[in-house]
Amino acid sequence: MLGVIAAWAMPAVGTDVEGGAVGVADVAPLRADGARIAPASLRYRIAVIVDGEEFAFGSEVSRSRESWRGTPVWRVETRARVAAGELVDTVYLNAPDLVALHRNVRIGEGRVMLDLGSEGVSGVIVEPGGEDRPVTIPTAGPVVGHLDTAFAGAALAPGFEAHFRTLDLERQQIHEWRANVTGVESVDVPAGRFGAYRLELVDVGGSGLAATVWMSREPPRWMVRSELTGRDAGGRVVAELESARD
């Protein structure tokens, strides 16, 4: 859910936050193994809480093996209905290591098509009734295409620590994150009770974004709950797993 729903559902988060940035020089990059994941169809309940008011909606995530431009990939599609219209966000991940190759987003009548590489993101924003806008965003390394899937493919365990990058598509900027497994917990969500790794995430650039993600311990591994907060915005996005099937 992170980076897919939040950009369209939460207010903007400021970048001037007391305390400054958190370093990642001593932290290894996030690595994922496509052999650890499996096809899945997941349904989530999303709650956006801003200034004490809650707006709830559902989203569906489907994960399948496919071929894209002759390359074996995992195709991950997220569907939701948000304030801007129906959201369909599809990302193609290189099958062995889950590195993002391409992303296609449709929001209402608009569309975004992006190629993702280790040195940058490039593509085009197609706006109905307007001119196409090119997208060129340099990066210092690969951008995670679908965070839930990347964590599902990671070697999670107590003491796990990694850093990674995500794309803020709405603002066309890169966020650098640091993630730590801080414990093992039992989590109750509408889909049932799960033993889960608790990951704490912080935006090391000091934007004020922070998150907690609970990933099920047993394979096939799923994201069962997440909380994303923006301190300057006073908002929170909570996702809970409602149902899951292979």
Side-chain angles (χ1 to χ4, degrees):
M1 296 299 117
L2 300 179
V4 176
I5 300 297
W8 305 103
M10 283 189 71
V13 179
T15 57
D16 296 323
V17 178
E18 184 180 354
V22 179
V24 293
D26 58 338
V27 182
L30 177 62
R31 307 273 185 202
D33 183 352
R36 289 194 178 103
I37 68 173
S41 179
L42 312 171
R43 183 185 294 271
Y44 292 90
R45 179 187 183 275
I46 313 296
V48 182
I49 303 101
V50 179
D51 296 330
E53 295 191 12
E54 179 176 320
F55 171 65
F57 57 94
S59 74
E60 297 180 357
V61 177
S62 61
R63 194 162 63 204
S64 59
R65 294 186 182 94
E66 291 192 13
S67 178
W68 176 79
R69 296 180 183 174
T71 300
V73 297
W74 283 96
R75 180 182 184 272
V76 184
E77 180 182 272
T78 301
R79 288 180 172 266
R81 182 164 291 278
V82 297
E86 184 184 27
L87 169 70
V88 182
D89 191 333
T90 306
V91 62
Y92 297 90
L93 310 173
N94 189 45
D97 56 13
L98 303 181
V99 170
L101 303 175
H102 185 77
R103 185 176 175 188
N104 191 339
V105 183
R106 178 167 56 83
I107 179 75
E109 297 299 320
R111 192 165 181 175
V112 184
M113 291 163 286
L114 301 172
D115 288 322
L116 300 97
S118 60
E119 296 182 356
V121 176
S122 62
V124 63
I125 297 175
V126 179
E127 296 181 340
E131 295 184 0
D132 295 353
R133 291 190 290 135
V135 175
T136 303
I137 306 171
T139 69
V143 173
V144 170
H146 191 264
L147 188 57
D148 306 353
T149 301
F151 282 150
L156 299 182
F160 171 90
E161 190 173 29
H163 82 266
F164 58 92
R165 301 169 187 85
T166 60
L167 171 64
D168 183 336
L169 183 55
E170 186 180 31
R171 299 166 186 83
Q172 296 191 32
Q173 65 185 35
I174 302 297
H175 289 281
E176 298 257 0
W177 296 82
R178 182 170 181 164
N180 301 75
V181 171
T182 59
V184 178
E185 300 179 352
S186 180
V187 181
D188 290 302
V189 294
R193 173 171 289 185
F194 295 85
Y197 292 112
R198 178 188 177 113
L199 291 108
E200 298 292 344
L201 283 59
V202 62
D203 182 347
V204 301
S207 72
L209 288 173
T212 304
V213 176
W214 288 264
M215 297 293 301
S216 61
R217 294 182 64 193
E218 299 300 324
R221 188 173 286 160
W222 303 316
M223 192 276 285
V224 296
R225 193 174 196 275
S226 68
E227 295 187 17
L228 174 68
T229 60
R231 288 177 293 183
D232 286 0
R236 186 162 63 108
V237 178
V238 179
E240 293 186 325
L241 184 65
E242 287 190 321
S243 66
R245 57 184 176 86
D246 297 342

